[in-house]
Amino acid sequence: MSYPPQGYGPQGYQPYGPPPSGYPPYGPGRPSTALAYVTAIVFIVCGAISLMLAIVGWDGTADSLTMLTALIGAAFTEETTGNVDFAISVTMSVACTTLLFAALLFARLEFARWILAIVGALTTAYYLYAIIWVLSHDGGEYIAMVLVSWLLWLVGTVLAILPATGRAMRRRPPTGPPGYPPPGYPRY
């Protein structure tokens, strides 16, 4: 039976230098939670822009065609209803869903990350289609907001599926040196 060395320091104390002889190296430190918060902020920006696009195009008579082409589903309006009501409804739904789960991502709930990754992947794929659709219909001067939206959704989706974001979502208690209980636990 191996006992921790005497005089090693108070509970939770992480000494500098190598561990005492006969003990394995210290475990990895606690991962940073910054990437989880950055991902949530990017998705909040995506949701806010989508909400702004839906509000600007609410009645379909907006003066800015750049904003109307950036509505999610605007490329499908000719095939579905013939007006932008469909695109406004889809954009509003995506925006509200994104804002809700981005707020849950601040609480570092793992399922919210995966829901945002799925919504982000579908929206990114749509915007890629919309870029091709707008350019094939000679709408190059109206593509700026579509490109900005595609880039933001792509960045948010990539951040959501990164393994480092998954590590940032975990809530494991920090572990001390071998032989010591994690900080906050009683010593026996």
Side-chain angles (χ1 to χ4, degrees):
M1 182 161 187
S2 175
Y3 294 99
Q6 298 298 316
Y8 196 65
Q11 184 176 1
Y13 172 74
Q14 182 84 15
Y16 295 101
S21 62
Y23 288 93
Y26 300 124
R30 188 174 182 163
S32 172
T33 59
L35 199 54
Y37 298 127
V38 169
T39 304
I41 289 170
V42 170
F43 274 114
I44 285 177
V45 169
C46 290
I49 286 177
S50 296
L51 192 61
M52 178 197 61
L53 290 172
I55 291 172
V56 166
W58 190 264
D59 59 357
T61 60
D63 294 334
S64 176
L65 288 177
T66 304
M67 299 292 245
L68 287 177
T69 56
L71 288 171
I72 301 170
F76 300 124
T77 56
E78 292 176 12
E79 292 86 21
T80 55
T81 61
N83 58 20
V84 294
D85 292 343
F86 166 75
I88 292 168
S89 299
V90 171
T91 305
M92 187 70 76
S93 298
V94 168
C96 293
T97 302
T98 302
L99 289 172
L100 171 70
F101 286 105
L104 290 176
L105 197 61
F106 272 113
R108 293 190 348 217
L109 298 175
E110 184 75 20
F111 75 93
R113 174 174 81 108
W114 289 111
I115 291 174
L116 285 173
I118 291 168
V119 170
L122 291 172
T123 308
T124 302
Y126 165 75
Y127 275 123
L128 187 60
Y129 174 79
I131 290 169
I132 296 167
W133 185 83
V134 169
L135 289 176
S136 68
H137 286 84
D138 297 326
E141 63 269 9
Y142 306 116
I143 199 162
M145 196 62 192
V146 177
L147 285 172
V148 168
S149 298
W150 172 71
L151 185 64
L152 281 171
W153 281 99
L154 179 67
V155 167
T157 304
V158 168
L159 284 174
I161 61 174
L162 283 176
T165 306
R167 285 190 297 273
M169 301 297 286
R170 297 190 186 114
R171 298 176 180 217
R172 294 188 180 154
T175 58
Y180 283 93
Y185 287 90
R187 297 180 80 170
Y188 296 106

